[in-house]
Amino acid sequence: MRKIPIPAEGIETLFGSFDENLKSLEVLFNVKIRTAGQELLVDGAAADADKVARVIEQLEGLVHSGYAFAKGDVKRAAQLVAQEATVDLADYFLRGAVKPSGKRRVMPKSVNQRRYLDAIERDDIVFGIGPAGTGKTYLAMAEAVAFLMSKRVSRIILARPAVEAGEKLGFLPGDLQEKVNPYLRPLYDALYDMLDGDRVERLLERGVIEIAPIAFMRGRTLNDAFVILDEAQNTTSEQMKMFLTRLGFGSKAVITGDITQIDLPPGRVSGLIEAMNVVRQIDGIAFVNFDDQDVARHTLVQQIVKAYDVFSARATGPDVVEPPAVPVEARWPAAVPARDE
């Protein structure tokens, strides 16, 4: 049994409504927790009890630092420690936030999300690969807006292949922009979540923010820009090569995609899968792989992603071609030291 002193401050935050946070710790670390005076008594494996102690000690430090906890923060802190026992929660709650504007703060919610943000800061081209809901596009958008607001780039360019997800939409009315807007709606949604609507409209009108299908990138050189290619699994080999060779001076590119959801016609090679083999050894290009533990949507989404992974593994036979594995050194970018701005 492990005895853990109850912090003098922030008990309400630690316990949560009706002790919901303690119950989450019990489930996550497979322990039993009860209170005895000014101590928590933790029954379970020594390693699991140690993790509970690390969570509580670091949460106490965050309270002393003046961090204002929001609903779900304690559970997220516990999940981070469960993923990586030596994690420093201050890197996530105090120093890890991206501030795209005064409107909100965007914080990484998993170890891989922290590595993703570190890679974007460090490298000029970053691939974020993983299932839906892992924050690949949202975090990239937050970084893009933060770079623009701090004048580290002069414009943002958001691109996406105009490929229908398993259905035929037929003829779409309107001018060219109106025809492609349905394909680009997810990028608009993330953008309006980062900035006030009026400001977004002004930036779009001035061309400071540009949203376009990837086909519009041909023949351009993108200098001093933060470029995001979303849904990259639906690019062709030619489109991916074209996109990667558009990068100019002072620019960054983030490519996001889910190689389990490719909507290209049969027989077409995904440009994202090919790029994973072609450019993975180039210095200055980072690959970050996400999994079901990084899903930041409804808790059911995490279980759905895991269930599909299990189903796919069972269905894979000798005639099924699987995407290439990304080497460990490409998956896990090293920690990046704080940058003096």
Side-chain angles (χ1 to χ4, degrees), residues 116 127-137 160-161 229-235 240 255-264 270-273 276 288-292 295 297 301 304-306 308-309 312 323:
Y116 185 51
F127 287 79
I129 302 168
T134 50
K136 305 182 301 293
T137 302
R160 205 169 191 254
L229 173 58
D230 193 32
E231 297 289 340
Q233 76 276 6
N234 289 328
T235 60
M240 179 59 75
I255 298 98
T256 69
D258 178 0
I259 57 177
T260 68
Q261 297 192 51
I262 298 173
D263 302 309
L264 291 170
S270 167
L272 177 58
I273 291 179
M276 291 165 66
V288 180
N289 278 27
F290 297 89
D291 55 33
D292 58 275
V295 173
R297 293 179 181 171
V301 175
I304 290 169
V305 170
K306 187 179 295 185
Y308 268 97
D309 286 344
S312 298

Side-chain angles (χ1 to χ4, degrees), residues 22-37:
L22 294 184
K23 293 173 184 176
S24 294
L25 290 174
E26 287 183 322
V27 172
L28 190 60
F29 296 112
N30 193 30
V31 297
K32 291 294 183 182
I33 302 175
R34 53 194 174 91
T35 58

Side-chain angles (χ1 to χ4, degrees), residues 5-269:
I6 295 176
E9 297 180 60
I11 295 178
E12 299 85 357
T13 297
L14 174 62
F15 286 13
S17 301
F18 303 104
D19 293 346
E20 62 177 349
N21 291 336
L22 294 184
K23 293 173 184 176
S24 294
L25 290 174
E26 287 183 322
V27 172
L28 190 60
F29 296 112
N30 193 30
V31 297
K32 291 294 183 182
I33 302 175
R34 53 194 174 91
T35 58
Q38 296 301 309
E39 293 180 323
L40 292 178
L41 306 181
V42 183
D43 285 321
D48 295 327
D50 287 344
K51 291 178 181 177
V52 174
R54 288 193 192 101
V55 172
I56 293 172
E57 289 166 4
Q58 292 200 56
L59 289 177
E60 183 179 12
L62 290 172
V63 170
H64 290 159
S65 299
Y67 179 78
F69 282 84
K71 183 176 176 60
D73 279 353
V74 173
K75 184 176 181 180
R76 180 155 62 89
Q79 289 172 335
L80 289 167
V81 172
Q83 291 178 33
E84 188 173 292
T86 59
V87 69
D88 183 355
L89 294 179
D91 285 339
Y92 292 77
F93 292 92
L94 298 180
R95 299 185 291 274
V98 178
K99 296 181 181 179
S101 68
K103 182 180 179 182
R104 64 180 299 122
R105 288 162 46 112
V106 177
M107 291 188 294
K109 296 183 179 180
S110 71
V111 173
N112 284 341
Q113 288 189 0
R114 175 71 267 164
R115 288 168 172 151
Y116 185 51
L117 293 177
D118 289 344
I120 293 174
E121 286 285 339
R122 181 188 68 241
D123 296 304
D124 287 338
I125 298 180
V126 177
F127 287 79
I129 302 168
T134 50
K136 305 182 301 293
T137 302
Y138 195 83
L139 290 174
M141 186 71 76
E143 283 280 18
V145 174
F147 268 62
L148 181 66
M149 294 298 104
S150 63
K151 302 188 186 306
R152 295 167 68 182
V153 297
S154 62
R155 55 181 172 157
I156 296 173
I157 299 174
L158 311 172
R160 205 169 191 254
V163 176
E164 296 162 349
E167 56 186 325
K168 299 298 181 184
L169 301 180
F171 173 76
L172 293 174
D175 59 22
L176 183 60
Q177 193 63 41
E178 290 172 327
K179 290 178 189 294
V180 300
N181 273 352
Y183 299 102
L184 307 175
R185 190 72 253 172
L187 296 176
Y188 282 103
D189 291 342
L191 187 57
Y192 279 99
D193 205 24
M194 304 292 171
L195 295 168
D196 293 327
D198 291 342
R199 192 170 195 179
V200 172
E201 295 299 330
R202 291 195 302 270
L203 293 173
L204 288 170
E205 288 175 5
R206 290 161 44 198
V208 175
I209 298 178
E210 178 183 347
I211 303 178
I214 188 173
F216 287 21
M217 299 295 105
R218 188 171 297 280
R220 303 177 63 183
T221 300
L222 307 175
N223 292 316
D224 198 26
F226 196 115
V227 192
I228 299 174
L229 173 58
D230 193 32
E231 297 289 340
Q233 76 276 6
N234 289 328
T235 60
T236 64
S237 174
E238 297 81 8
Q239 286 175 330
M240 179 59 75
K241 179 181 177 182
M242 179 269 292
F243 176 82
L244 291 174
T245 55
R246 299 306 93 198
L247 199 66
F249 294 107
S251 292
K252 280 187 176 285
V254 179
I255 298 98
T256 69
D258 178 0
I259 57 177
T260 68
Q261 297 192 51
I262 298 173
D263 302 309
L264 291 170
R268 298 303 300 269
V269 176

